[in-house]
Amino acid sequence: MPIFKKSDPSTECEACDVRFDLMHGGVCERCRRVLCYRHLHGSWVQRLRVDLGRPAVCVQCRREG
C-alpha cells in the first residue's frame, strides 16, 4: 500500500481543449482563462518575461491590445 500518491495537476486549455500539466500553462491576468503554454505565452521569450516579473497575459489579449 503506497503512502504517497502521485498527484496529477492537469486541466484542459480553454482555447484548444487539450489536456496539459498546470506547470506548463496558467491563467491570463486579463481574461482569467486557464490556458496551455502555447495560448498563454506563445513563445519562450514571452515566458521569460513573465518569469522576470511581467504579468501573464495571453496571446489573444496581447493581440487585442
Side-chain angles (χ1 to χ4, degrees), residues 7-62:
S7 62
D8 183 23
S10 63
T11 189
E12 290 183 6
C13 176
E14 292 184 25
C16 63
D17 294 327
V18 171
R19 195 147 191 84
F20 70 96
D21 183 5
L22 285 176
M23 299 304 292
H24 299 287
V27 177
C28 175
E29 293 188 21
R30 285 190 191 164
C31 64
R32 306 302 297 168
R33 294 187 305 161
V34 177
L35 300 166
C36 65
Y37 179 89
R38 190 179 78 186
H39 289 103
L40 181 62
H41 301 297
S43 70
W44 66 271
V45 175
Q46 185 61 30
R47 170 67 189 262
L48 181 61
R49 289 177 180 162
V50 170
D51 288 344
L52 294 174
R54 293 194 64 183
V57 178
C58 71
V59 174
Q60 184 177 353
C61 289
R62 286 195 312 266

